[in-house]
Each structure stands twice: as structure tokens, then as C-alpha cells.
Amino acid sequence: HACGMADDPGAGGDRVEMWSGQSGQTWRSVQTAMMRMVGSLALLAAACSVLGAAPLAEAGPMFPKNEAGGKNWVMLVAGSNTYGNYRHQSDICHAYRLVTEKGGIPKENVVTFMFNDIAESPSNPFKGNIINHPNGTNNWPFVKDHIDYEGKSVNPMNILAALRGDKDAIDCQGAKCTKKVIESTAADNIFFYFADHGAPGLIAMPDGSPGGYLYEKNLTATIKKMHEQKPRLRILGASSPLRSSTELAQGLRFGQPG
């Protein structure tokens, strides 16, 4: 795998899968396509850091300059809710600080999906606190005003609409929702990070999410369409689902024949 969490996957810990691609050429393996897309190891290091492998203060340089002259965008998605799934929203909070404070990504270029039910949860012994490692910094004050999609607005339809830049397709479902989308051009880069459970051909969404799961076929179709419209657009994705992450990564080799 391109990078990994500290936990042992065989013991039920998180494992990381990454996918990437660029249109206009024959598709190769995920690893090869990733290296062609990134152009340097810096972006891979950034992705691994985002997944919470190191405290913020120890994170190295992230996100090389976009040599094409475009923007770098980031989409962060926590696919779960409830305090019992604390780690997923915690990862997103940590990732937000990493990409904005260490990665140099402007806050206006980050789109965040997070159910937002753990900081003030009755189960949280430290109200208003979300940490990412033992005795860690409280990340909540840095993120709470920058969540773009909360509650039922965290759903597969809105994720795909925001990814492709289709603001008209956003439905807040009565929840807090800024309708912020990635307004990418052909010269831009997008880093997509998803934290939650997965299974063959899908990644999970919060319980009760309108639209159910985010299916690989729908994500694949969206990204292929984006590349048809913007052939030089570059996308790097990372996920840390607990189950069947290998199958999900295989499915995310979008554009590969067969």
C-alpha cells in the first residue's frame, strides 16, 4: 500500500488505501498512476500525514506548488456519526488543521463534510473537545466554524455534487449546509480524503443518510466525467475504511479498462 496507519490491519486496525488517476493515457496500476499524477513524493507524504500518522507539530511539508498554475483543493469527508465512531470525525478535524496550517491550502479551498455530533455529545467527557491522539490538542475550536455540510446534508448526492462543482444539485436536507463546492479548472489538483467504514464497492455514510451508501460505480462515473470535461485535472484520494478497503481501492481505479 502507498501508506498505512500505525495499527495492524490484520488485528482489525485501520488500513489506508489510495487511488489516483489522470485521463488521456492508458491506465496502469494504482501505484504507477499515482506517481505519474503526483509528480513527486511530497503529495504522497501529505496524504499520509493527513491520515493522522503524526501530531500536527511533527507534520512535514505538505502539498507541492501546483506547477500548472492552478489551485489545490481539498475535500474532507467523515462518513459516520455518533460518539461511538469518534475517530472518523476526529480524523477530519485533524486533517483540516493539517491541510490549512501545514499544507498551505486556503480555507476557501477546503470543503468539509462532518456530521458534527461528537464535540457536544452527552457521551463526551470533555465537552467541546475533539482530539486526535492521547493528550492531543483540542482541534474543535479550529474547525467548528468551517464545517460546510452537517447532519443529513452529509450524503452521497451532496458529496458527488460538491466534488464536480454542481452547486445547483446540493440539497441541505434541512441541515446546516453552506453549499460550498469545488470549483475546479483543468489546471487544478484535488485531494479527497474519506474516513469511515467501507465494504466491497462502497463506502459508508452516516446512519440515516439520505441516499444510503456512496457506491464506487457512482464515484467512478463522476470522476470519469470530470476528466472528460477537464482532461488535465489531477485527483488524489485516500481512504481509511475499516473493512474491505482493498476491494474499495480496486474499484477506484477509475478509467481502467475492464
Side-chain angles (χ1 to χ4, degrees):
H1 305 299
C3 62
M5 300 293 280
D7 293 338
D8 175 13
D14 289 351
R15 67 188 300 176
V16 174
E17 298 293 346
M18 307 187 70
W19 49 269
S20 64
Q22 185 170 343
S23 63
Q25 56 187 299
T26 302
W27 289 98
R28 297 167 174 82
S29 69
V30 170
Q31 292 84 355
T32 302
M34 187 184 309
M35 296 310 298
R36 290 178 64 87
M37 183 201 73
V38 174
S40 73
L41 291 174
L43 192 51
L44 288 180
C48 295
S49 296
V50 164
L51 299 179
L56 183 65
E58 300 174 12
M62 298 172 61
F63 296 103
K65 180 180 178 181
N66 187 335
E67 299 298 336
K71 297 179 179 179
N72 287 331
W73 297 86
V74 174
M75 177 174 285
L76 304 173
V77 180
S80 69
N81 56 346
T82 75
Y83 190 78
N85 284 312
Y86 182 101
R87 61 200 178 279
H88 303 132
Q89 294 185 63
S90 168
D91 281 348
I92 294 305
C93 289
H94 187 228
Y96 182 88
R97 291 194 64 198
L98 280 169
V99 300
T100 57
E101 296 180 24
K102 293 296 245 184
I105 304 296
K107 293 178 180 178
E108 58 267 26
N109 289 8
V110 182
V111 180
T112 306
F113 286 79
M114 178 174 153
F115 201 89
N116 191 17
D117 63 347
I118 65 172
E120 301 295 339
S121 169
S123 299
N124 190 344
F126 305 102
K127 295 292 187 296
N129 278 255
I130 299 178
I131 61 175
N132 193 248
H133 57 91
N135 302 314
T137 300
N138 179 15
N139 291 316
W140 180 237
F142 301 91
V143 181
K144 64 180 182 179
D145 296 326
H146 303 285
I147 303 173
D148 298 297
Y149 296 86
E150 298 185 9
K152 289 190 175 182
S153 70
V154 181
N155 62 62
M157 297 84 73
N158 284 344
I159 290 170
L160 296 179
L163 183 62
R164 66 179 183 265
D166 188 357
K167 186 173 292 188
D168 292 338
I170 299 293
D171 183 351
C172 293
Q173 300 286 336
K176 180 183 175 183
C177 167
T178 66
K179 294 194 173 184
K180 186 177 181 180
V181 299
I182 294 179
E183 299 175 347
S184 61
T185 70
D188 291 352
N189 300 324
I190 300 174
F191 173 58
F192 180 108
Y193 172 50
F194 172 83
D196 186 22
H197 305 273
L202 63 84
I203 50 181
M205 290 284 103
D207 290 344
S209 169
Y213 300 121
L214 173 53
Y215 289 97
E216 172 269 320
K217 62 180 181 181
N218 296 330
L219 180 57
T220 297
T222 295
I223 295 175
K224 288 179 68 175
K225 185 66 174 179
M226 291 170 67
H227 278 285
E228 289 172 4
Q229 297 171 343
K230 308 165 191 176
R232 297 190 63 82
L233 176 69
R234 301 188 300 176
I235 303 176
L236 172 69
S239 63
S240 55
L242 286 171
R243 297 183 180 89
S244 303
S245 54
T246 300
E247 290 85 348
L248 178 61
Q250 294 286 344
L252 287 170
R253 294 183 185 185
F254 56 87
Q256 182 169 321

